[in-house]
Amino acid sequence: MNNIEKTFRTGILGVGKYLPERRLTNADLEKMIDTTDEWIVTRTGIKERRIARDDEAASDMAVKAAQVALKNAGLEAKDIELIIVATITPDMFFPSTACQLQYKLGITGVPAFDISVACSGYVYGLAIADQFIKSGLYKYALVVASEKLSTVTDWDDRSTCVLFGDGSGAAVLGRVDDGGIMAVSLGADGSKGNLLQLPAGGSRMPASKKTVEDKQHTIKMEGNVLFKHAVKIMAEAALDVTAKLGLKGEDIDIIIPHQANIRILNALAQRMGVDPDKKVYLNIYKYGNMSAASSAVALTEAVEEGRIKKGDTILMDAFGGGLTWGALVIKW
Ligand code: ACO
């Protein structure tokens, strides 16, 4: 039943993750390209990343993360009324990965769609689902971020191939009596889209023998320019969303950021005036940058490890290609 006269609070009822088994370590990369473990660790904080199997697409990982999130929420797939998948590595252009996920969950009828917001996709997805729950239109929503970046990585380009990994994280959202998603700040700047892109395969540069030979189907990134934007924009998004609630760094119990580079996260901690070791959740060292899935897996692991307790104030903060950014404050 739709009830759009009332406003509800949206909480995260359960989270889940799926990481492929195969680990690609920095030592493995040393054998593939001209790099060193020392360079990768000091410049990025990454020690290893996961690589999905050939037969594992984004929706295969998504369904596994979603099933864990549903179990942790104490719900079944048939309870879900909305499915949003954040991905830049969908199974295919269409049908959407969200529709594939819906089918794999064994449900039909409920709306399902993908969002393409790169690394900010999970935060955007939570913010979108929040609107549907708050309005009373839906009771339960599933937001999944699933990425198989290994398929769009140029394994000869040492400046990017050391960074990315595969994985999936999910959240079930529903009504709560108090707390939940307290404030949202989203943004984008299309004028800087060229800093991080996958040029070919779309209507601008359709797939051809030449695009494949020129490796135009892989991630192209201007890392050091992007780095400066990431530091500035992640801090601005964090300050904007916390200001909406009159919160300061000391009021935040834990920051769950997108995991692109440990140096970006240390700079964020400094801007927020918090101790990075105590208040910034970090798992980049074991998974690398999984785009939208990074913050989804980070939130899941922070919950699993007991780093998030009932009543805690959580700041989620992401930045990615587009450019896009998004921050949320959640009272757990
Ligand atoms: N191993 C060894 N040397 C390397 C490697 C490598 N893997 N990669 C680059 N280098 C070299 C470069 O060739 C360069 O050498 P040179 O000085 O002789 O020319 C030197 O290291 C420095 O290169 P920079 O690119 O300037 O290195 P930087 O310190 O900027 O680190 C990095 C690169 C890690 C990519 C960093 O710029 C970064 O993290 N950028 C931000 C990424 C980001 O935020 N992405 C957004 C989200 S991702 C998404 O939306 C999918």
Side-chain angles (χ1 to χ4, degrees), residues 6 9 31 63 94 114-115 170 220 222 237 259 284 293:
K6 256 179 97 177
R9 286 186 168 280
K31 293 181 205 135
V63 72
F94 68 88
D114 288 1
I115 54 169
K220 310 291 172 207
E222 286 190 39
Q259 316 268 320
I284 190 174

Side-chain angles (χ1 to χ4, degrees), residues 50-180:
R50 300 296 179 92
I51 306 293
R53 296 190 313 265
D54 288 348
D55 65 349
E56 268 177 328
S59 71
D60 301 311
M61 295 190 282
V63 72
K64 290 184 176 158
Q67 280 160 345
V68 179
L70 281 163
K71 188 165 179 272
N72 287 334
L75 294 170
E76 292 178 43
K78 65 174 172 48
D79 299 318
I80 295 299
E81 294 171 305
L82 169 70
I83 299 174
I84 300 172
V85 172
T87 185
I88 50 166
T89 48
D91 288 24
M92 56 187 86
F93 261 162
F94 68 88
S96 70
T97 301
C99 285
Q100 294 292 297
L101 171 62
Q102 187 210 55
Y103 172 63
K104 288 183 169 137
L105 286 170
I107 48 176
T108 48
V110 302
F113 59 90
D114 288 1
I115 54 169
S116 172
V117 202
C119 306
S120 316
Y122 186 62
V123 171
Y124 263 64
L126 295 177
I128 296 167
D130 175 34
Q131 305 310 309
F132 284 101
I133 299 207
K134 251 188 354 203
S135 70
L137 192 59
Y138 301 127
K139 237 173 160 177
Y140 299 115
L142 175 65
V143 176
V144 187
S146 195
E147 299 285 16
K148 191 178 181 183
L149 294 177
S150 59
T151 54
V152 292
T153 297
D154 177 353
W155 291 102
D156 294 323
D157 176 8
R158 69 175 183 171
S159 69
T160 55
C161 76
V162 301
L163 303 173
F164 302 114
D166 303 335
S168 183
V172 173
L173 292 88
R175 295 173 190 171
V176 288
D177 293 332
D178 50 20

Side-chain angles (χ1 to χ4, degrees), residues 14-30:
V15 286
K17 67 173 184 190
Y18 171 76
L19 280 317
E21 260 170 50
R22 188 180 156 210
R23 290 179 158 81
L24 184 71
T25 65
N26 291 350
D28 296 327
L29 284 166
E30 283 177 351

Side-chain angles (χ1 to χ4, degrees), residues 174-216:
R175 295 173 190 171
V176 288
D177 293 332
D178 50 20
I181 297 178
M182 309 295 287
V184 174
S185 175
L186 304 177
D189 179 359
S191 72
K192 297 186 180 63
N194 60 322
L195 297 177
L196 181 58
Q197 57 182 349
L198 195 158
S203 54
R204 171 81 46 207
M205 200 190 287
S208 68
K209 194 162 171 266
K210 184 161 173 17
T211 60
V212 173
E213 280 167 3
D214 292 349
K215 295 194 169 180
Q216 294 297 317

